[in-house]
């Protein structure tokens, strides 16, 4: 159960930090599974992402098809000019996405349970539905920046309900690219929307409210095991990782089934893989 103070903080700031939410063994199991998925990933097999001239189209297809699959994505800076990997494959992957929570037993186990369901209901998701999972590596040296954005951009519901569950699997610090948030700015409008029509994706501008910057924002330096829960309209950012240590994190995005989920959201589910809650 969330305390009244925690709930008050969530509504005031748009986020909540819950230290020691996941145990060391649970994190070690997830990490080992993620590394096994990367190990089994053959970049030249099927995706053709990095080998064809028709690169943009292939990347789009590969990305779109990952909505309800388990796929690996490279860091932008992973490749040398000649197309070879600058460091080992295991140190070149940006993330795994986007349906491990439903398709992989180890991820399924980590992503579900009464503890998470209680937090979700506590922050207002009466009927939580988990649409997406991402394992984010933030690799040493080349871990890319993720610019200011709101997660509601990618999960439009009426009214807004998407909530992010961000698990630190390693200590997140200013040196390895921790999260930054702008407390209270979950009360600002949605700036843009990621819209899918068939196989085409566009970023639709909605509101010109400027993004915060790191002079006003708060850096969330948190220990491994911490769960950060944040509102879908909360602007957040993470810097590149130029340090020698990785910053693994895992995220889930859930909406409330009482709200209408937009048919233009890039992730859709049907009866072959129904969207589920935390329990
Ligand atoms: Fe985000």
């Amino acid at each position: 159960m969330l305390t009244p103070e925690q709930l008050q903080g969530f509504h005031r700031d748009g986020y909540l930090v819950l230290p020691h939410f996941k145990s060391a063994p649970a994190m070690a199991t997830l990490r080992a599974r993620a590394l096994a998925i990367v190990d089994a990933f053959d970049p030249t097999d099927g995706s053709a992402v990095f080998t064809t001239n028709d690169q943009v189209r292939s990347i789009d297809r590969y990305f779109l098809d990952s909505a309800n699959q388990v796929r690996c994505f490279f860091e932008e800076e992973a490749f040398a000019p000649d197309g070879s990997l600058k460091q080992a494959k295991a140190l070149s992957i940006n993330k795994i996405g986007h349906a491990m929570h439903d398709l992989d037993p180890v991820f399924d186990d980590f992503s579900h349970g009464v503890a998470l369901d209680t937090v979700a209901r506590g922050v207002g998701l009466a009927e939580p539905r988990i649409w997406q999972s991402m394992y984010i590596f933030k690799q040493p040296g080349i871990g890319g920046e993720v610019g200011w954005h709101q997660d509601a951009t990618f999960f439009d519901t009426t009214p807004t309900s998407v909530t992010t569950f961000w698990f630190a699997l390693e200590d997140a610090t200013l040196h390895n690219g921790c999260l930054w948030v702008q407390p209270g700015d979950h009360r600002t409008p949605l700036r843009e929307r990621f819209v899918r029509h068939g196989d085409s994706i566009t970023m639709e501008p909605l509101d010109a409210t400027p993004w915060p910057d790191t002079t006003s924002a708060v850096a969330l330096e948190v220990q491994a095991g911490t769960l950060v829960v944040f509102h879908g309209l909360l602007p957040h950012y993470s810097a590149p990782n130029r340090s020698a240590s990785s910053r693994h994190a895992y995220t889930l995005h859930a909406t409330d089934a009482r709200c209408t989920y937009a048919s233009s959201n890039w992730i859709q589910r049907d009866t072959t893989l129904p969207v589920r809650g935390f329990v």
Side-chain angles (χ1 to χ4, degrees):
M1 278 276 282
L2 298 175
T3 66
E5 291 74 28
Q6 286 174 321
L7 213 47
Q8 202 180 5
F10 180 80
H11 291 305
R12 179 190 61 230
D13 301 329
Y15 69 97
L16 185 57
V17 178
L18 300 171
H20 313 297
F21 191 86
K22 287 287 188 183
S23 70
M27 291 187 285
T29 303
L30 194 76
R31 182 192 182 98
R33 182 64 196 133
L35 294 179
I37 291 171
V38 169
D39 197 45
F41 166 57
D42 177 357
T44 60
D45 178 29
S47 74
V49 171
F50 310 102
T51 54
T52 72
N53 296 324
D54 198 10
Q55 209 172 33
V56 170
R57 180 181 300 212
S58 300
I59 288 171
D60 285 351
R61 188 73 258 163
Y62 185 75
F63 170 75
L64 289 172
D65 288 349
S66 77
N68 297 326
Q69 296 189 41
V70 178
R71 291 200 158 171
C72 297
F73 295 84
F74 283 101
E75 294 280 2
E76 262 181 42
E77 296 177 28
F79 297 92
D82 68 358
S84 63
L85 284 177
K86 288 194 253 179
Q87 44 196 41
K89 183 178 66 174
L91 291 174
S92 302
I93 300 295
N94 167 283
K95 69 173 176 183
I96 309 172
H98 292 91
M100 297 87 78
H101 61 296
D102 281 326
L103 296 175
D104 184 276
V106 174
F107 276 88
D108 184 334
D109 190 50
F110 190 94
S111 309
H112 296 88
V114 173
L116 268 170
D117 190 57
T118 303
V119 172
R121 289 173 193 279
V123 299
L125 298 176
E127 296 177 34
R129 296 290 183 269
I130 317 170
W131 290 96
Q132 172 178 270
S133 47
M134 292 195 289
Y135 190 104
I136 301 159
F137 290 84
K138 207 77 163 178
Q139 300 284 5
I142 60 166
E145 173 186 63
V146 179
W148 284 100
H149 67 280
Q150 298 157 300
D151 288 348
T153 287
F154 303 94
F155 298 94
D156 183 29
T157 64
T158 308
T160 300
S161 65
V162 67
T163 304
T164 304
F165 298 78
W166 189 99
F167 303 89
L169 302 173
E170 295 182 297
D171 294 349
T173 69
L174 282 172
H175 305 289
N176 67 6
C178 68
L179 272 183
W180 289 75
V181 297
Q182 183 63 50
D185 271 13
H186 60 302
R187 287 186 286 268
T188 61
L190 185 62
R191 273 86 163 166
E192 51 193 2
R193 190 160 50 204
F194 192 74
V195 175
R196 176 176 185 173
H197 289 296
D199 288 350
S200 100
I201 291 275
T202 49
M203 190 63 95
E204 184 182 288
L206 297 176
D207 188 278
T209 303
W211 293 109
D213 60 49
T214 49
T215 57
S216 62
V218 170
L220 297 183
E221 292 194 280
V222 296
Q223 280 187 329
T226 301
L227 167 61
V228 182
V229 184
F230 55 92
H231 190 283
L233 290 175
L234 184 74
H236 57 284
Y237 157 84
S238 72
N241 181 9
R242 300 301 181 208
S243 81
S245 47
S246 56
R247 194 226 66 186
H248 290 198
Y250 178 61
T251 65
L252 295 169
H253 289 91
T255 62
D256 192 327
R258 295 174 306 172
C259 307
T260 307
Y261 186 82
S263 60
S264 57
N265 286 333
W266 83 280
I267 296 181
Q268 300 291 331
R269 290 290 186 90
D270 58 26
T271 51
T272 60
L273 190 63
V275 64
R276 295 189 292 150
F278 288 103
V279 287

